Amino acid sequence: MSPSPSPAAIAVENRLFGALAVLRVVVLVNAVGLNIYRRGNFDHPVAAVVCVAVMVLWTGVAIWAYRSPRRRTALLLVADLALAVALILLTVEVKGADFRATIPGSWIIGALLAWSAHYRWRGGLIAGVALAAADLSRRQELHQSDYGNAFLLVLSGTIVGFLCASLQQMAAEREVAERAAAMATERVRLARAVHDGVLQVLALVQRRGRELGGEAAELGELAGEQERELRRLIQAQDSVAPSNGTVNVTAELARLERLPGVTVSTPGFPVDLPALTARELVATARACLDNVKRHVGADAPAWVLLQAYPDRVELSVRDEGPGVPAGRLEAAAAEGRLGVSESIRSRITDLGGTAELSTGSFGTEWEFVVPRERGLGSSA
Amino acid sequence: MSETEAPAPIRVMVVDDHPLWRDAVERDLIQAGLDVVGVAANGREALARFPAARPDVIVLDLQIPAPDGIEVTAEVGRQNPDVRVLILSASGEQADVLAAVKAGATGYLVKSASREELLAAIRTVAAGDPVFTPGLAGMVLGEFQRLSDAPAVDPSEPRLTERETEVLKMVAKGLSYRQIAERLVLSHRTVQNHVQSTLRKLQMHNRVELTRYAIEHGLDTEDS
C-alpha cells in the first residue's frame, strides 16, 4: 500500500504535509488553550500537565519528521496514531470516568490526516476507526454528539484520503502528459532536421543539374519537383486541421503551388473555415488558375493571395497576361471566357460573397470576398 | 573614386552546415565577382567570425547547429545593425521565416532559388533593400492583420499605413516594385521605402513585444 514513488506524487504529498504542519500547530494551540480553560476538571493535574507537554513535544517532532519523504515510515505513522489513541484512552485516568472532552481534543486530527495523506483512503479509514473506537470505548454514556463526532472522524479521514489519492493521480497523469508532449516536440525537431537535410540535397542536385545541363539538368528538374513536393507536405503537416468540421484553407491552397508557375501567399497562421466554404474557395482558385493556363499559357505565372479577417476572407488570383490593354474583358467575352467567369462568380455568390474581375497593364485579377461564419453554405 | 573604377565588390559571408551547399554558393558568388570574406558551419562560428570578416551581407541558413539562424540574426543585429542578413531556408517553414524576419533579417529566399535569383537578392539586400517574396509578404500582412485584431494594448504600437498595406498586398500578389510603382503612380524608390518601412515596423513590434514580456516577467529588474 506504499505510495508510488512518482516524483509528481511525492511533490503533492510534500505540499500536503506542509499544510498539515500548519494545521498541527493550530490544533495544538487550541488543545492547550482548552485544557488550561478546563484545568478544574482534572483529577490528576500533574498527569494532565505531562500529557499536554507530550502533545507539544510530539507536535514539534512530527512537523520535523514528516518534512522529509524519507522519514515518512510506517514506524512514524504508527507512533503518531498510537500516541493520539493513547492520549484519548488516558483521559479517563486523568480526568475521571465522567469526562466530556478528551485531553487531546481535535489535536488527533494531525495523526488522522497524516494517515490519509500517506496511505490514502484506506489509511484515513483505519486511523479514523482507531481514533473513534478509542474515544467511544471509554465513555460511560454515549451521547448523540459523541457518536456524531466519531462518525465524522471516520468519514473525513476516508474522504480526505481519497482526495489525496486523486490529487496524486492527477499530478502523475499530468507528468506523463508533459513528458509525452516533450517527446512529441523532440520528435518534430528531429523530423525537421531530417527533412531539412533531404531538402538541402534536393536543392543542391537541382542547382548543380541546371549548371551541368543535358541529362543532369533533367535529374535536377526531378529533384526540384520532389523538393517542392516535400516542402509543401511539411507545411501542410504543420497546419493539421482541427477535427470540428472545419478545414485549414491555407494548407489546402498551398497545394495549388503544385501547378507550374503558381505562387500561393497566405498568413502564417491557420485559417479555419467550414469544410464546404474552404472547398469552394479552393475550387474557385483552381478554376481561375485553369483559366490562366488555357488563355495565357501552360507555364504562365500566377499568384494566389489569401487574407483572413475576423469577419471575412479575401482571396485574390492574379495572372500576368502580357500587358493586355483595356478591352480585354470585352475580348474575353468574345472568346467565350465570360461563361467561365460567370461560373466562377456564382460559386462565390453562393457562399454569400462577392467576386470582382479587374484587368489592366498589371494583368488580370480576380478578387473574392467571402464572409466568415455567416456564409450561406457553411452549414456542412 | 573615379568613374571608371568599379565599386568595391560586395563582401559576403556564407553560413551553412552543409559543406557541399556552402561550396556551391561560394563558387557561384566568387564567379559573379563578389567577395566571400568568410564561411561558417554553425551559429557559434558565425558569431565568432563575422566581426573580423566584416561582411556587408550574411547569407544564412536557418537550420544550423545552435545557436540557430534566428538567434544569429538577432545577435548580428545587436552587434552591428549595418550588416544585412539574407535568409536561405531549405524548408521555407513559415513560422521560422517569420521569426527570422522579425529578428531582423532583410530578405528571405528558398534554397531552390536559381543562381541568378540568389545574386540579385544579395545585391538588393546589400543596397539596404528588403527581398520580399510574395509568400513572405502574405505572412507579414497576416501578422499585422492579427495584431490589429488583437485589443490595442499600447497605442504606440506600430501599425501599417493604408499605403503600406496596399503596397505589401501587391507584393504578395506577385507584382514587381516597378509594376507597383506604375500602378500606384509612385516612384520606384517610394515603393521600396514603403516595403522597407513595413519590415522595420514588424521588427520594431517584435522589440516592443520582447520588452513588454521582459517587464511583465520582471526581467528588467536586477533582482529577479
Side-chain angles (χ1 to χ4, degrees):
Chain A
M1 199 156 78
S2 67
S4 64
S6 136
I10 289 176
V12 168
E13 216 183 270
N14 286 345
R15 292 192 58 173
L16 289 173
F17 278 109
L20 186 54
V22 177
L23 185 68
R24 277 181 193 270
V25 174
V26 173
V27 291
L28 175 70
V29 170
N30 181 55
V32 171
L34 283 176
N35 279 310
I36 293 170
Y37 175 70
R38 292 190 293 243
R39 57 190 177 278
N41 294 354
F42 295 107
D43 293 357
H44 303 282
V46 177
V49 170
V50 171
C51 283
V52 171
V54 167
M55 280 160 59
V56 174
L57 199 69
W58 181 254
T59 300
V61 171
I63 288 173
W64 168 81
Y66 280 113
R67 192 172 297 157
S68 158
R70 262 186 317 107
R71 289 192 293 261
R72 284 172 213 148
T73 57
L75 186 67
L76 175 66
L77 280 130
V78 168
D80 198 10
L81 183 60
L83 189 71
V85 169
L87 284 167
I88 294 173
L89 295 179
L90 278 172
T91 301
V92 75
E93 322 296 338
V94 178
K95 275 187 150 181
D98 57 343
F99 76 94
R100 296 284 300 276
T102 63
I103 300 173
S106 56
W107 181 80
I108 54 152
I109 209 165
L112 175 71
L113 295 185
W115 276 65
S116 294
H118 198 61
Y119 294 132
R120 290 63 174 298
W121 72 267
R122 288 189 188 83
L125 180 63
I126 291 168
V129 167
L131 291 165
D135 188 276
L136 297 181
S137 67
R138 289 307 178 97
R139 293 192 187 269
Q140 272 181 330
E141 45 188 314
L142 222 64
H143 294 284
Q144 180 66 38
S145 62
D146 293 330
Y147 169 75
N149 288 342
F151 182 66
L152 278 180
L153 212 55
V154 176
L155 209 61
S156 54
T158 314
I159 289 174
V160 170
F162 176 76
L163 291 179
C164 291
S166 299
L167 275 177
Q168 286 177 329
Q169 195 185 337
M170 266 153 49
E173 280 167 5
R174 197 186 60 184
E175 199 186 27
V176 170
E178 277 170 359
R179 207 177 308 136
M183 272 164 65
T185 311
E186 177 61 11
R187 220 173 289 138
V188 167
R189 199 190 61 75
L190 282 174
R192 274 185 181 190
V194 171
H195 287 149
D196 198 67
V198 175
L199 286 170
Q200 300 255 23
V201 173
L202 287 175
L204 186 66
V205 171
Q206 185 187 8
R207 189 188 178 86
R208 288 293 292 152
R210 227 186 267 140
E211 287 167 12
L212 294 169
E215 274 182 38
E218 281 172 35
L219 276 178
E221 200 53 48
L222 276 176
E225 275 169 32
Q226 288 306 305
E227 188 236 322
R228 283 192 292 277
E229 190 69 20
L230 179 55
R231 200 165 53 217
R232 262 192 304 279
L233 257 172
I234 294 169
Q235 285 176 359
Q237 178 196 25
D238 268 3
S239 40
V240 177
S243 55
N244 55 356
T246 64
V247 169
N248 176 12
V249 73
T250 64
E252 297 294 315
L253 284 173
R255 300 221 177 105
L256 294 175
E257 284 204 334
R258 201 172 292 157
L259 303 167
V262 174
T263 306
V264 178
S265 306
T266 64
F269 48 84
V271 177
D272 297 325
L273 293 178
L276 182 71
T277 312
R279 228 181 8 250
E280 286 297 296
L281 272 177
V282 175
T284 305
R286 188 179 285 277
C288 294
L289 293 171
D290 286 346
N291 219 17
V292 173
K293 302 296 152 208
R294 248 198 316 280
H295 293 275
V296 186
D299 284 337
W303 291 268
V304 176
L305 169 65
L306 179 85
Q307 287 184 277
Y309 301 90
D311 59 333
R312 66 187 193 281
V313 292
E314 291 184 13
L315 178 72
S316 121
V317 183
R318 192 181 76 87
D319 68 67
E320 208 149 66
V324 177
R328 177 181 171 131
L329 204 54
E330 288 75 9
E335 284 170 35
R337 268 181 75 185
L338 220 54
V340 179
S341 78
E342 277 317 308
S343 90
I344 289 172
R345 209 182 285 275
S346 66
R347 270 182 196 276
I348 295 299
T349 47
D350 283 353
L351 293 174
T354 59
E356 232 173 87
L357 179 65
S358 52
T359 177
S361 61
F362 49 84
T364 302
E365 185 178 332
W366 276 102
E367 279 193 296
F368 308 107
V369 181
V370 174
R372 293 180 91 167
E373 320 298 343
R374 292 183 299 278
L376 291 177
S378 65
S379 53
Chain B
M1 260 196 279
S2 73
E3 281 287 288
T4 50
E5 201 178 325
I10 300 169
R11 301 166 64 86
V12 185
M13 179 168 179
V14 182
V15 183
D16 200 306
D17 55 335
H18 283 63
L20 268 176
W21 177 267
R22 207 168 52 226
D23 294 347
V25 170
E26 196 181 350
R27 201 172 47 240
D28 283 353
L29 300 188
I30 292 172
Q31 264 176 20
L34 273 64
D35 191 0
V36 177
V37 293
V39 292
N42 56 50
R44 206 177 32 75
E45 281 180 16
L47 289 176
R49 292 176 190 173
F50 100 88
R54 289 184 297 108
D56 301 314
V57 177
I58 300 181
V59 176
L60 180 62
D61 182 15
L62 268 186
Q63 308 277 348
I64 46 172
D68 67 15
I70 297 165
E71 290 169 79
V72 170
T73 304
E75 188 53 34
V76 166
R78 247 191 307 279
Q79 290 186 25
N80 189 348
D82 291 336
V83 177
R84 311 287 171 195
V85 175
L86 175 66
I87 298 292
L88 216 50
S89 158
S91 63
E93 239 177 276
Q94 303 198 324
D96 292 347
V97 172
L98 197 58
V101 169
K102 278 178 162 180
T106 317
Y108 148 69
L109 277 185
V110 281
K111 282 202 166 169
S112 51
S114 69
R115 184 174 171 274
E116 289 69 34
E117 284 174 297
L118 175 63
L119 288 171
I122 291 176
R123 292 203 174 99
T124 310
V125 168
D129 289 320
V131 172
F132 254 63
T133 58
L136 178 56
M139 268 187 269
V140 172
L141 268 177
E143 198 62 11
F144 275 107
Q145 180 54 43
R146 198 174 58 79
L147 294 174
S148 69
D149 291 344
V153 191
D154 182 356
S156 71
E157 256 175 30
R159 293 279 146 99
L160 290 189
T161 64
E162 250 170 69
R163 203 10 94 76
E164 284 163 354
T165 308
E166 199 176 7
V167 168
L168 202 54
K169 212 186 270 190
M170 289 186 178
V171 175
K173 287 174 183 174
L175 277 87
S176 68
Y177 291 175
R178 188 184 48 75
Q179 286 171 311
I180 296 171
E182 219 171 89
R183 198 164 161 183
L184 296 178
V185 200
L186 297 171
S187 75
H188 190 265
R189 187 67 249 171
T190 310
V191 173
Q192 276 181 329
N193 286 345
H194 282 312
V195 176
Q196 211 168 359
S197 123
T198 60
L199 201 58
R200 212 175 37 240
K201 283 183 180 177
L202 186 66
Q203 289 161 3
M204 199 195 306
H205 189 273
N206 193 41
R207 278 196 296 274
V208 169
E209 241 172 21
L210 288 176
T211 311
R212 187 183 304 139
Y213 179 89
I215 291 169
E216 276 168 10
H217 291 75
L219 303 177
D220 60 326
T221 51
E222 273 160 44
D223 51 353
S224 61

